[in-house]
Amino acid sequence: MKAYVFPGQGAQFTGMGKDLYENSALAKELFEKANEILGFRITDIMFEGTAEELKETKVTQPAVFLHSVILAKTLGDDFKPEMVAGHSLGEFSALVANGTLSFEDGLKLVSQRALAMQKACEITPSTMAAVLGLADNIVEEVCASIDGIVVAANYNCPGQLVISGETTAVEKACEAMKAAGAKRALILPVGGAFHSPMMEPAREELAAAIEATTFSTPICPVYQNVTANAVSDANEIKKNLIIQLTAPVKWTQSVQQMIVDGATLFTEVGPGKVLAGLINKIDKEALTANA
């Protein structure tokens, strides 16, 4: 079975999408439509902007989404997903790819998500850290032992987790992780504590926008971050998407379940090759490709 996967924040690079814009009339039309919807020329920043400009939250998330979704749309008849999944922000790209969301609605939600997350980040000092070389349960136990808010946020692949929470709690957890035998525990250069209870204000704001958006029955199941299971019911997809901002990204578990359910080839659609790399670490036998 053909599985298509869509990257999240962090996959962006200067010049992303420019070749699509220049070589496909459909891509050009969709990029121009995106500029209109967003109210600024995101294409100028994507194609010519600096890494610093691309890192702005209001730019990063829509940019990665646009690169992924427009690339999928230019694949034409070759694009026949039998299952999809996306890492964090990438779940929105996956939901456009499988027909749950329209291109326009997906972009509007991603833009609102970025701005809501930015606002939430400004309320309390918060951050994320990568923990390498520890078993999931040890990471969870260490987080539970720390005073303050710190949780496992991204299960990226075995031995690679990201924790998230209040800055002081994350710093304490990093020291405790090293004491517990972690190869590394390092603070990430991110704006705040994504996929943690610190995102509750953003979740509330985004929930209203998601509730007001039409979700259609998809052409194939999406393996959602929150459940790591195949979901085809539009209402259930909506409910899981609302929870996603404050819940962990179960990427390892999603990929494992997709393999159990018959995935034979994972194609990464969007900027970079991060997910293909993670999938190969989750299952050394898994076949991966880039669109």
Side-chain angles (χ1 to χ4, degrees):
M1 288 176 79
K2 286 185 187 171
Y4 286 85
V5 293
F6 299 84
Q9 202 161 337
Q12 69 276 5
F13 63 90
T14 299
M16 61 190 285
K18 192 176 182 186
D19 55 335
L20 285 172
Y21 185 94
E22 290 172 348
N23 296 310
S24 160
L26 173 63
K28 185 174 183 177
E29 183 191 324
L30 290 170
F31 273 123
E32 289 300 343
K33 188 183 274 188
N35 287 335
E36 255 174 67
I37 291 168
L38 293 171
F40 67 97
R41 290 194 62 79
I42 193 167
T43 48
D44 292 352
I45 305 172
M46 289 172 71
F47 305 163
E48 315 291 345
T50 62
E52 212 43 51
E53 287 171 310
L54 261 182
K55 251 177 29 190
E56 267 190 80
T57 302
K58 73 164 189 174
V59 174
T60 314
Q61 295 195 28
V64 173
F65 168 87
L66 287 170
H67 190 286
S68 299
V69 168
I70 292 174
L71 176 56
K73 287 191 180 291
T74 60
L75 297 175
D77 292 341
D78 290 341
F79 186 71
K80 290 195 175 72
E82 291 168 280
M83 44 176 82
V84 295
H87 190 288
S88 186
L89 157 73
E91 191 160 285
F92 288 81
S93 309
L95 292 175
V96 174
N98 79 351
T100 306
L101 287 170
S102 70
F103 171 77
E104 294 83 353
D105 285 342
L107 178 57
K108 284 174 194 166
L109 285 178
V110 164
S111 179
Q112 285 168 299
R113 180 183 191 264
L115 297 172
M117 287 168 80
Q118 183 61 46
K119 271 194 268 180
C121 292
E122 287 159 9
I123 297 169
T124 311
S126 60
T127 192
M128 302 175 85
V131 180
L132 306 181
L134 272 189
D136 295 359
N137 63 316
I138 305 290
V139 174
E140 291 159 1
E141 283 165 23
V142 170
C143 285
S145 73
I146 303 288
D147 283 338
I149 297 171
V150 57
V151 296
N154 295 355
Y155 294 80
N156 285 333
C157 67
Q160 188 190 319
L161 264 72
V162 174
I163 59 172
S164 182
E166 294 166 319
T167 302
T168 49
V170 171
E171 286 167 352
K172 279 186 219 157
C174 282
E175 293 312 309
M177 297 289 175
K178 287 175 197 164
K183 284 184 195 157
R184 293 178 78 186
L186 65 160
I187 303 285
L188 295 172
V190 293
F194 307 145
H195 300 288
S196 83
M198 309 297 290
M199 284 291 118
E200 182 56 30
R203 188 197 66 78
E204 286 174 14
E205 197 174 316
L206 191 63
I210 288 173
E211 288 292 2
T213 301
T214 301
F215 278 55
S216 305
T217 302
I219 56 166
C220 70
V222 58
Y223 286 71
Q224 289 189 278
N225 293 177
V226 170
T227 62
N229 289 323
V231 188
S232 294
D233 177 77
N235 288 323
E236 200 183 330
I237 291 172
K238 190 179 266 198
K239 188 184 78 192
N240 291 334
L241 202 58
I242 290 169
I243 303 167
Q244 196 223 54
L245 267 188
T246 51
V249 173
K250 295 179 180 173
W251 187 251
T252 301
Q253 299 89 327
S254 297
V255 171
Q256 287 168 338
Q257 191 57 50
M258 291 166 95
I259 291 166
V260 167
D261 292 348
T264 49
L265 173 66
F266 290 88
T267 302
E268 184 168 0
V269 187
K273 296 179 180 177
V274 172
L275 297 184
L278 293 179
I279 290 163
N280 290 136
K281 285 178 183 157
I282 293 165
D283 188 317
K284 290 181 174 51
E285 306 296 307
L287 288 177
T288 58
N290 284 80

